[in-house]
Amino acid sequence: MNAVGLVAFALVGATKAIREEFDLFGVTVVGLATAFAGGATRDLLVGRVPLVLRSFGEISLALVGVALAVGAYVALDAADEHPATLVSDAIGLAAFATTGAIVATNAGVSGFGVITVATINAVGGGALADLLLGRQPFVLFDDFYASCAVIGGAAYWLSAGVGGHPRTAAAVCAGVTVCARLLAVSLDWHLPTAQRLGRRWRRR
């Protein structure tokens, strides 16, 4: 799960930087930040040295994602909007939500902690990437993105809580997260804002 998330999120982050016309060094930095920020935060929360600092293999996987992003941009028009990029983002979100849920469960945190760590693991890298790109983190807006990780983390906790095998819980978390994200993209789901709720209330 972690390997899949690293490649997928490095690809997504690098694609965003390419769209903003960063040079190759900047593209690499944003890609690596997207891949590792969430996992590093996860590890610090559960009291262990971030995995990225313990294994060069992690860096290698993320660099593969960056290289794929550069190759896709050279070969495709509007690579950042290509279905493959959108699917990669959904897969990365699901993989990291699942990884976070597994690590949190093994650390013995509460159900709330499992969901929180799963969500931070899933969206932390994207939030840092947005800051590096000079914009507000999109997970704080009304896009149905972080909510997918919350749902996936809850699905893992519930599955494990009813006695499900850890692998079964992981599969449930990944499946629920990726399906929720793909449905959100295809059906244009958004969470309501206070402004929308206010306008609807005043119409009544």
Side-chain angles (χ1 to χ4, degrees):
M1 285 292 182
N2 197 57
V4 170
L6 289 174
V7 175
F9 266 15
L11 186 156
V12 171
T15 300
K16 291 180 180 180
I18 292 171
R19 181 178 57 201
E20 299 295 329
E21 299 186 4
F22 280 34
D23 63 20
L24 289 180
F25 177 76
V27 168
T28 303
V29 169
V30 175
L32 294 181
T34 308
F36 292 120
T41 305
R42 170 205 69 204
D43 288 339
L44 293 174
L45 286 174
V46 300
R48 69 182 195 182
V49 177
L51 191 59
V52 61
L53 301 180
R54 292 185 281 136
S55 171
F56 182 74
E58 306 292 306
I59 299 291
S60 301
L61 287 168
L63 290 175
V64 169
V66 172
L68 288 172
V70 174
Y73 205 88
V74 171
L76 300 171
D77 292 328
D80 55 321
E81 298 177 358
H82 194 276
T85 302
L86 299 176
V87 171
S88 294
D89 188 37
I91 291 173
L93 184 74
F96 274 174
T98 305
T99 302
I102 292 171
V103 170
T105 300
N106 291 339
V109 302
S110 66
F112 175 77
V114 170
I115 297 170
T116 300
V117 173
T119 304
I120 290 173
N121 198 161
V123 306
L128 177 59
D130 284 340
L131 294 176
L132 292 174
L133 294 169
R135 59 196 189 193
Q136 294 176 313
F138 80 100
V139 297
L140 302 180
F141 291 89
D142 59 347
D143 188 28
F144 201 84
Y145 189 81
S147 303
C148 300
V150 172
I151 294 170
Y156 182 97
W157 176 64
L158 290 171
S159 180
V162 297
H165 190 278
R167 290 185 180 179
T168 302
V172 169
C173 178
V176 167
T177 305
V178 74
C179 288
R181 181 54 188 161
L182 292 177
L183 284 171
V185 171
S186 61
L187 300 178
D188 196 28
W189 287 351
H190 291 82
L191 290 177
T193 62
Q195 288 81 359
R196 288 180 189 168
L197 293 175
R199 286 193 294 268
R200 290 178 182 176
W201 178 260
R202 286 190 290 272
R203 288 195 194 109
R204 295 179 181 179

